[in-house]
C-alpha cells in the first residue's frame, strides 16, 4: 500500500493550484491533440490544398509564431501574467477554430501564423504566471505534473480526431476543429480561478533584455538542439520504421503508446533532483546522452532480423522517453532558476522560442539525413544531441556566475497607468 500511495502521489496532481494548472493544461493539450490528428488531412483532402503547400504553410506559420514569445513575456512582466495568459489562450482558441474558415494556401498561412503566435505567447505568459504562483523549489515538479497530464490530453484529443478521420466528412472535421478551439477557451477560463500575480517589470527595462544574457541565450540554443526529440519521435522514427527496417508499420503506434504511458507515469519521478539550476544542467546532460543513444539504437535496426529490430526499437524508445523526460525537467529547471524574478515573462519567452525553433528546423533536416544517409543519418543526429547535453552543465555554471549582472535594479516596478 505505501508503494501504491507513493505512485498515486506522483501521478495525480495535488489539490489546489497545481491541480488547476494541470487541468487547464489537460484542456489545452486535448485541443492540440485534435489539431495534430486532423488538420493536415482536413486541409489536403477537404480544402484541397496540395500537401507540399500545407507543409510550407505550417513551417512558415511556425517561424512567424516564434516572434510573439518574447514580446508576450514582456507584456506579462509589465501588466501581470494572469490576464496576458488568459487573453493569449482565448486568442489561440479563436484562431484554432478559425482553421475551419481556411479556403486556400494564403489563408492557411495566416491562420497557422496567428495560432502559433498565440501558442508561443501563451507559453511565455504562462511561464511567468507559474513563477509567480509556485515557490522556486516546486516549479519543476509542477511542470512535471503538467507534462504528465499533457500526454493524456494529447491522447484524448487524438482519439476525438480519430473519430473525425473515421467519418471523413467536412461537417465532422469542422465540428472537431471548433471543439479544439473551445478547449483552448476552457483552458484560458480556468486561469480566472487562480490568484492574480502582480506585474514585475522595472522602469526602463528593455523588451528584449533577455537577449543580452549570453549564457542564458546559449542554454536556450542548447535546448533547441535537445528538443529534436520531438521530431525524432513524430517524424524520423515512422519514416525509418516503414522504409528502412523489417518492423511492421503498426509497431510505430505501439512505440507512441509506450512513450505516452511512460511520461504519464514517470515524469514526476524522473524530474527529482532538478529543482535547482545545477541539477537541471545535469538533467540536460543525461538527456543529450540518452537521446544520442536512442539514435544509435534506431540506426542499428537497419538490415536486422524482425525480432532483433523489434528489440532495438523497444530499447530505443525507452532511451528516447527517458531523454525526453530529462530534457523537460532540465529545461524547466534552468529556464526558471536562472531567470531574474522581475523578468520571468520574457525569459520564459526565449525558451518558448527555443522549443518552437527546434520543432521548425529539424523535421526537414531529419528527413533529409535519413533518406540520403540511412543509418549514418541517425549518427549525424546523435552527435549534436550528445554535444548539447555535455555542454549544458558548463553553460549553467557560467550562467550562475553572471546572475548579479541581471539582478533587478533598486527601482520600483513599472506601473500600467
Amino acid at each position: 500500500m505505501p508503494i501504491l500511495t507513493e505512485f498515486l502521489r506522483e501521478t495525480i496532481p495535488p489539490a489546489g493550484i497545481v491541480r488547476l494548472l494541470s487541468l487547464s493544461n489537460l484542456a489545452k493539450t486535448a485541443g492540440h491533440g485534435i489539431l495534430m490528428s486532423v488538420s493536415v488531412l482536413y486541409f489536403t483532402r477537404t480544402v484541397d490544398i496540395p500537401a507540399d503547400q500545407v507543409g510550407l504553410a505550417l513551417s512558415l506559420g511556425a517561424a512567424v509564431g516564434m516572434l510573439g514569445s518574447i514580446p508576450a513575456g514582456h507584456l506579462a512582466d509589465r501588466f501581470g501574467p494572469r490576464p496576458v495568459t488568459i487573453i493569449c489562450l482565448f486568442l489561440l482558441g479563436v484562431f484554432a477554430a478559425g482553421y475551419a474558415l481556411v479556403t486556400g494556401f494564403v489563408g492557411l498561412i495566416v491562420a497557422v501564423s496567428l495560432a502559433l503566435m498565440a501558442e508561443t505567447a501563451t507559453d511565455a505568459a504562462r511561464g511567468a504566471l507559474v513563477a509567480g504562483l509556485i515557490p522556486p523549489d516546486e516549479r519543476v515538479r509542477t511542470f512535471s505534473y503538467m507534462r504528465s497530464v499533457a500526454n493524456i490530453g494529447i491522447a484524448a484529443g487524438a482519439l476525438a480526431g480519430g473519430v473525425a478521420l473515421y467519418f471523413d466528412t467536412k461537417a465532422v472535421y469542422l465540428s472537431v476543429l471548433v471543439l479544439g478551439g473551445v478547449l483552448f477557451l476552457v483552458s484560458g477560463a480556468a486561469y480566472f480561478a487562480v490568484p492574480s500575480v502582480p506585474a514585475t517589470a522595472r522602469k526602463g527595462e528593455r523588451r528584449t533584455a533577455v537577449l543580452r544574457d549570453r549564457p542564458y541565450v546559449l542554454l536556450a540554443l542548447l535546448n533547441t538542439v535537445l528538443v529534436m526529440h520531438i521530431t525524432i519521435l513524430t517524424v524520423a522514427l515512422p519514416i525509418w520504421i516503414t522504409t528502412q527496417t523489417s518492423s511492421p508499420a503498426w509497431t510505430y503506434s505501439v512505440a507512441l503508446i509506450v512513450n505516452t504511458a511512460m511520461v504519464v507515469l514517470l515524469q514526476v519521478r524522473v524530474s527529482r533532483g532538478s529543482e535547482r539550476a545545477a541539477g537541471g544542467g545535469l538533467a540536460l546532460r543525461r538527456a543529450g546522452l540518452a537521446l544520442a543513444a536512442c539514435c544509435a539504437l534506431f540506426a542499428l535496426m537497419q538490415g536486422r532480423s524482425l525480432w532483433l529490430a523489434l528489440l532495438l526499437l523497444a530499447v530505443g524508445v525507452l532511451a528516447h522517453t527517458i531523454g525526453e523526460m530529462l530534457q523537460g525537467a532540465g529545461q524547466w529547471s534552468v529556464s526558471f532558476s536562472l531567470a531574474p524574478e522581475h523578468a520571468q515573462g520574457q525569459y520564459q519567452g526565449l525558451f518558448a522560442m527555443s522549443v518552437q525553433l527546434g520543432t521548425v528546423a529539424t523535421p526537414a533536416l531529419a528527413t533529409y539525413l535519413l533518406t540520403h544517409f540511412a543509418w549514418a543519418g541517425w549518427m549525424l543526429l546523435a552527435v549534436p544531441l550528445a554535444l548539447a547535453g555535455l555542454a549544458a552543465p558548463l553553460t549553467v555554471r557560467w550562467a550562475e556566475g553572471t546572475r548579479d549582472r541581471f539582478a533587478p535594479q533598486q527601482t520600483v516596478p513599472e506601473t500600467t497607468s
Side-chain angles (χ1 to χ4, degrees):
M1 291 302 293
I3 296 177
L4 178 60
T5 301
E6 179 68 13
F7 172 77
L8 293 175
R9 190 176 69 86
E10 292 192 341
T11 54
I12 300 175
I17 290 177
V18 175
R19 184 171 297 175
L20 187 57
L21 292 172
S22 298
L23 290 174
S24 171
N25 205 39
L26 179 66
K28 178 175 180 288
T29 52
H32 280 303
I34 289 175
L35 297 184
M36 289 167 56
S37 59
V38 305
S39 57
V40 171
L41 290 177
Y42 170 71
F43 293 135
T44 55
R45 297 175 62 172
T46 302
V47 185
D48 202 25
I49 302 173
D52 58 341
Q53 291 187 10
V54 172
L56 178 60
L58 293 175
S59 296
L60 291 174
V64 173
M66 291 188 297
L67 303 178
S69 57
I70 295 178
H74 178 74
L75 290 175
D77 293 330
R78 182 177 179 184
F79 296 101
R82 189 180 72 163
V84 177
T85 301
I86 293 171
I87 290 171
C88 288
L89 274 168
F90 281 2
L91 289 174
L92 177 57
V94 172
F95 297 148
Y99 281 10
L101 303 177
V102 170
T103 59
F105 176 60
V106 175
L108 178 59
I109 293 176
V110 173
V112 172
S113 297
L114 290 173
L116 293 180
M117 186 173 291
E119 167 70 12
T120 57
T122 295
D123 291 342
R126 186 180 63 174
L129 180 60
V130 172
L133 292 171
I134 306 297
D137 286 348
E138 292 295 322
R139 291 170 185 168
V140 171
R141 188 175 181 84
T142 296
F143 268 97
S144 296
Y145 281 117
M146 293 170 68
R147 164 73 72 83
S148 177
V149 168
N151 277 258
I152 299 174
I154 290 174
L159 180 62
V163 174
L165 295 176
Y166 174 79
F167 287 102
D168 196 24
T169 66
K170 183 175 181 179
V172 176
Y173 280 132
L174 294 179
S175 297
V176 295
L177 287 173
V178 172
L179 173 61
V182 170
L183 287 169
F184 292 126
L185 297 178
V186 171
S187 177
Y191 286 107
F192 283 112
V194 304
S196 180
V197 173
T200 56
R202 305 283 163 169
K203 284 186 176 180
E205 182 77 61
R206 293 176 56 182
R207 297 181 180 180
T208 56
V210 63
L211 298 179
R212 295 180 296 164
D213 192 336
R214 288 183 294 174
Y216 196 91
V217 170
L218 178 55
L219 279 169
L221 291 174
L222 295 176
N223 192 61
T224 296
V225 176
L226 294 173
V227 297
M228 283 201 302
H229 69 74
I230 300 173
T231 296
I232 288 173
L233 184 67
T234 60
V235 177
L237 186 57
I239 292 174
W240 184 250
I241 288 174
T242 55
T243 63
Q244 300 291 335
T245 79
S246 58
S247 299
W250 58 262
T251 57
Y252 175 65
S253 297
V254 176
L256 285 180
I257 293 170
V258 170
N259 171 269
T260 300
M262 285 183 64
V263 174
V264 169
L265 299 175
L266 298 176
Q267 179 67 70
V268 176
R269 179 176 291 271
V270 171
S271 299
R272 286 180 180 176
S274 303
E275 294 78 15
R276 303 295 177 89
L282 292 176
L284 291 176
R285 182 177 68 186
R286 294 166 184 156
L289 297 177
L291 293 170
C294 93
C295 290
L297 290 163
F298 293 149
L300 290 172
M301 292 175 63
Q302 187 175 32
R304 308 298 175 186
S305 66
L306 173 60
W307 292 109
L308 182 54
L310 290 175
L311 177 61
L312 290 167
L313 175 62
V315 180
V317 169
L318 292 176
H320 174 279
T321 309
I322 291 170
E324 173 188 341
M325 292 187 288
L326 286 168
Q327 181 275 323
Q331 172 187 320
W332 304 321
S333 174
V334 301
S335 66
F336 282 108
S337 300
L338 298 173
E341 291 298 317
H342 73 285
Q344 282 283 0
Q346 62 170 284
Y347 272 66
Q348 298 312 310
L350 180 63
F351 260 78
M353 181 184 291
S354 77
V355 173
Q356 189 76 0
L357 178 60
T359 57
V360 169
T362 55
L365 172 64
T367 302
Y368 177 83
L369 290 176
L370 296 184
T371 54
H372 287 77
F373 298 99
W375 68 268
W378 281 111
M379 306 315 295
L380 292 172
L381 288 174
V383 170
L385 287 166
L387 292 177
L390 292 171
L394 299 175
T395 310
V396 167
R397 286 197 287 272
W398 176 28
E400 287 181 318
T402 62
R403 291 308 85 191
D404 289 345
R405 301 182 197 173
F406 303 99
Q409 303 298 314
Q410 298 300 315
T411 57
V412 296
E414 185 175 355
T415 62
T416 60
S417 59

